[in-house]
């Protein structure tokens, strides 16, 4: 049974710092991996989708990598800003298309 | 706006009542999902429909019944509500089961 783990559970950094969020999964037979952000009381905003055949995806200050064989993905955020404060969720896609989520990393960027 | 929308945003009700949550997507997607986010913020799949057909039905009490009248809508009906049903319910959609999923804003259900 696929399990997704995100470390750390919470992270606080000063503004401007580069940071890395980690995601690991137990079954490497995934179709793709998706990173989301969730603001308090809000829905999920899709950040990046990495297909199983890809190694990384970039969008602005965000870069997500995928190493299927080791069951790991990282989300790199460059030059963090207070507006980046949110919970970041990693999810892998199961064989039936459903997403299996980690418990998230709560990021706080201090001005 | 192109999006996934849900109504209502908030739902407060008494134990034992029956309630429905509606979801609509105008993205032209063929697959829709219901997820539940519990009090610890953990998200889990409940149901998935592809072209109005049920393809995923996780271990969910049969008091929960999804209904898809057409590809753009997936409603969730809950009978005999219990305290433990209190959670945020998210609808999502994608074009085919393996593509990027887009989420609605969520419905916060509180059962008193």
């Amino acid at each position: 049974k696929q399990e997704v783990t995100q470390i750390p559970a919470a992270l606080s950094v000063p503004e401007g710092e580069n940071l890395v969020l980690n995601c690991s999964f137990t079954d490497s037979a995934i179709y793709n991996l998706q990173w989301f952000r969730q603001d308090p009381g809000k829905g999920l905003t899709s950040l990046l989708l990495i297909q199983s055949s890809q190694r990384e995806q970039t969008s602005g200050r965000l870069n997500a990598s995928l190493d299927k064989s080791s069951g790991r993905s990282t989300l790199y955020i460059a030059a963090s800003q207070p507006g980046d404060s949110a919970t970041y969720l990693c999810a892998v896609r199961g064989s039936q298309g459903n997403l299996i989520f980690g418990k998230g990393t709560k990021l706080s960027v201090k001005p | 706006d192109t999006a996934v929308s849900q109504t209502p945003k908030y739902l407060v009700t008494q134990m034992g009542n029956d309630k429905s949550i509606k979801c609509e997507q105008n993205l032209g997607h063929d697959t829709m999902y219901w997820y539940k986010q519990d009090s610890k913020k953990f998200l889990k799949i409940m149901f998935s429909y592809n072209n109005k057909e049920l393809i995923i039905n996780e271990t969910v009490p049969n008091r929960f019944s999804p209904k898809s009248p057409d590809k753009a809508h997936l409603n969730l009906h809950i009978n005999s509500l219990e305290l433990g049903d209190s959670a945020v319910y998210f609808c999502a959609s994608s074009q085919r089961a393996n593509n990027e999923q887009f989420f609605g804003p969520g419905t916060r259900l509180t059962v008193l």
Side-chain angles (χ1 to χ4, degrees), chain A residues 20-109:
Chain A
V20 175
L21 307 180
N22 296 294
C23 172
S24 61
F25 44 94
T26 54
D27 185 349
S28 62
I30 64 169
Y31 286 83
N32 56 45
L33 184 146
Q34 200 166 345
W35 281 94
F36 296 87
R37 72 175 275 169
Q38 185 175 25
D39 294 282
K42 304 286 186 184
L44 278 70
T45 301
S46 179
L47 298 173
L48 290 163
L49 172 72
I50 312 179
Q51 300 294 349
S52 62
S53 57
Q54 296 175 319
R55 298 283 294 186
E56 65 178 320
Q57 281 285 345
T58 298
S59 175
R61 293 181 295 108
L62 306 179
N63 176 278
S65 69
L66 175 63
D67 184 342
K68 251 184 60 171
S69 59
S70 67
R72 296 184 185 208
S73 176
T74 60
L75 180 67
Y76 174 81
I77 303 176
S80 58
Q81 304 170 356
D84 295 330
S85 298
T87 296
Y88 289 81
L89 294 162
C90 165
V92 299
R93 190 170 312 277
S95 59
Q96 292 179 292
N98 58 297
L99 289 174
I100 301 158
F101 283 85
K103 294 187 177 180
T105 294
K106 186 174 182 179
L107 174 65
S108 176
V109 181

Side-chain angles (χ1 to χ4, degrees), chain B residues 61-78:
Chain B
N62 58 15
R63 298 181 293 102
F64 290 78
S65 54
K67 286 185 172 46
S68 182
D70 56 57
K71 284 200 309 182
H73 295 84
L74 179 62
N75 303 324
L76 183 64
H77 189 76
I78 315 169

